[in-house]
Amino acid sequence: MPSSRQVYSPLTALRTEFNHAMRQLSSEQRRDASIRHVLQVYRAIVSGNFLRLFQLWEQAPKMGPYILDGLVERERVKALLVLAKA
């Protein structure tokens, strides 16, 4: 089973890599709480739902918050730019 880090890392790269990693998971692996969390994080990023992303960051299982720290900082800057434009 891929580690959470292996699944989170494509979030910082191309979507195609993420989709490729998700296709390799079995249905049992997809039911894992950590993997479901990764999918929710991915959806939040793709949709630009910053509030949901930050909520998921706080609720991340295991070592998830540490893995997401760099990603959240980047998304926080994006969120501030969106707010400034508004």
Side-chain angles (χ1 to χ4, degrees):
M1 179 167 133
S3 69
S4 293
R5 181 148 182 95
Q6 288 172 319
V7 178
Y8 276 115
S9 65
L11 290 173
T12 61
L14 300 173
R15 291 180 186 175
T16 55
E17 291 179 37
F18 181 80
N19 291 334
H20 178 71
M22 289 294 106
R23 279 193 300 271
Q24 292 180 340
L25 297 175
S26 69
S27 59
E28 181 181 332
Q29 291 170 329
R30 287 176 190 255
R31 287 191 295 268
D32 181 70
S34 297
I35 301 300
R36 284 196 325 262
H37 184 267
V38 170
L39 290 170
Q40 291 174 349
V41 167
Y42 178 74
R43 286 186 202 114
I45 290 171
V46 170
S47 67
N49 189 342
F50 300 112
L51 176 61
R52 182 70 180 136
L53 174 64
F54 298 131
Q55 290 171 341
L56 288 167
W57 175 51
E58 291 176 348
Q59 300 167 357
K62 302 178 185 174
M63 299 298 283
Y66 299 104
I67 296 169
L68 288 172
D69 278 346
L71 178 80
V72 167
E73 287 303 316
R74 184 186 76 201
E75 295 300 314
R76 183 174 284 131
V77 170
K78 286 183 185 177
L80 290 172
L81 290 173
V82 169
L83 287 171
K85 285 181 184 179

